[in-house]
Amino acid sequence: MNELSDLARVRDEELAGRASGAGARALLASVTATDPADLLDPATVPGAGRGRLRTRPMVVGTLAAAALAAAIVIGPSFVDTGSGPATSYANSAIEIERRGGSWIAKVRDPFADHALYGEAFRAVGVDLDMELVPVTPDRVGEIVQFGGQDTNDKAIGGGAEPEGCTIGQEGCFMVVSVEEGFTGHGTLKFGRPARPGEVYQSHGPATRKGGMLAGVRVDERPVREVLAEVRRRGLKAVFQIIEPNPGGDGYGMNPARQSEKVGGDWIVWEAEAHQEGVVRLLVSEKRVAKNPVYGGPKPRQDTSE
């Protein structure tokens, strides 16, 4: 069985029911010890006067008083071991649980403020900042960038839960795993689905299998020929003008040149996914001996449709 399938679920509506800290427990004791009739008087309700509280006549018993205390305790949920960091944590963006020697983090809101992800990891003793960035559909759920130090060679991975599901479909979630013992500080960029019109932050070749130009050879061809194929597929193109180094070993990019008009006889060196329905063509005005993107011929890849 996939260990991720056993990950405990903590939902927003359940968070209000977790009274975990000393203050919350004291509040619970206070409310359950109050005469039910007194609860109708706002002056006797903890916190009254800091906001509006509407009441109506009701019969308040022990269970109802406990429910009221639970409703007042709202916010992140965690399991307090009494010593050391929590063993699990959840907020509106992410939930984390220790499983089989790893911290398993399930993304609940891929569009949340990334500070909420870091808050959750630090609550369980892991100093890891995570940001979810828009990527091409084939890279959703992948780690697209990682930086860190003093990590004791602990593995960090990404994927989907349940295993093998398609992220974006109902019941399929993005999951990050971090081996216990991770130390130091880490920064992680994790691929999420792009909103309509959002530019991808991880650019892969558009010609590989599943890409917008799958099955098309674009490198070392004139711009006019590649644009004809782009339009035939109902796509749009933007340009990035590059300046090959002498001999074609690498290239530079001058921001001041990006508004120049690109001629049909310019040379295309690569096509990348820019955003949904749009490819970015890396072009230069002159042909050079080597493909500057690769320092030689473009490596072979699966370009089938």
Side-chain angles (χ1 to χ4, degrees):
M1 179 181 296
N2 179 6
E3 68 174 16
L4 297 181
S5 65
D6 295 330
L7 191 65
R9 301 293 189 270
V10 183
R11 305 183 186 279
D12 285 340
E13 60 269 23
E14 299 171 343
L15 293 179
R18 297 287 186 89
S20 56
R25 289 192 290 269
L27 177 59
L28 176 59
S30 173
V31 174
T32 55
T34 301
D35 188 321
D38 292 341
L39 292 178
L40 301 181
D41 181 0
T44 68
V45 178
R50 292 194 296 271
R52 295 183 178 179
L53 177 64
R54 296 181 179 178
T55 62
R56 63 176 66 182
M58 64 181 72
V59 177
V60 182
T62 302
L63 292 179
L68 176 60
I72 295 173
V73 182
I74 300 174
S77 172
F78 63 93
V79 176
D80 189 351
T81 62
S83 62
T87 58
S88 66
Y89 182 92
N91 59 28
S92 61
I94 191 170
E95 59 185 57
I96 302 178
E97 179 128 1
R98 187 166 58 193
R99 289 278 181 178
S102 294
W103 293 105
I104 307 300
K106 187 178 85 171
V107 176
R108 306 171 71 178
D109 180 1
F111 303 106
D113 183 341
H114 68 267
L116 291 173
Y117 307 123
E119 168 191 288
F121 279 109
R122 279 184 281 278
V124 297
V126 178
D127 189 6
L128 179 66
D129 287 316
M130 184 173 78
E131 181 180 359
L132 271 68
V133 297
V135 296
T136 54
D138 60 315
R139 298 214 66 186
V140 172
E142 293 184 8
I143 295 173
V144 297
Q145 183 178 329
F146 176 76
Q149 55 185 351
D150 190 26
T151 60
N152 290 335
D153 294 324
K154 297 300 180 180
I156 298 179
E161 179 204 334
E163 186 177 0
C165 70
T166 301
I167 294 174
Q169 295 183 349
E170 184 177 359
C172 188
F173 299 92
M174 293 182 289
V175 173
V176 175
S177 63
V178 182
E179 283 188 338
E180 286 189 78
F182 179 93
T183 62
H185 175 72
T187 57
L188 178 72
K189 288 192 175 182
F190 195 51
R192 64 162 172 79
R195 294 185 175 98
E198 197 170 20
V199 174
Y200 302 133
Q201 288 194 31
S202 175
H203 304 283
T207 56
R208 63 188 177 191
K209 185 176 181 180
M212 289 181 278
L213 290 175
V216 179
R217 181 80 183 253
V218 301
D219 52 301
E220 303 187 41
R221 294 177 60 188
V223 165
R224 66 170 64 89
E225 293 182 8
V226 176
L227 282 181
E229 181 61 31
V230 168
R231 292 166 181 151
R232 188 183 72 81
R233 296 192 176 211
L235 304 172
K236 296 181 180 180
V238 296
F239 299 101
Q240 180 174 330
I241 300 173
I242 64 175
E243 299 177 349
N245 296 334
D249 292 316
Y251 64 91
M253 194 275 294
N254 183 354
R257 295 196 62 195
Q258 300 311 306
S259 59
E260 288 185 18
K261 184 176 180 180
V262 173
D265 58 346
W266 288 32
I267 304 300
V268 176
W269 300 107
E270 183 57 283
E272 298 177 337
H274 181 70
Q275 65 187 83
E276 185 178 1
V278 182
V279 295
R280 181 173 66 180
L281 303 181
L282 277 65
V283 303
S284 69
E285 186 174 3
K286 304 293 183 180
R287 182 184 293 274
V288 292
K290 299 178 182 178
N291 185 326
V293 176
Y294 299 99
K298 179 179 177 179
R300 295 188 61 180
Q301 61 180 12
D302 184 354
T303 58
S304 58
E305 303 246 17

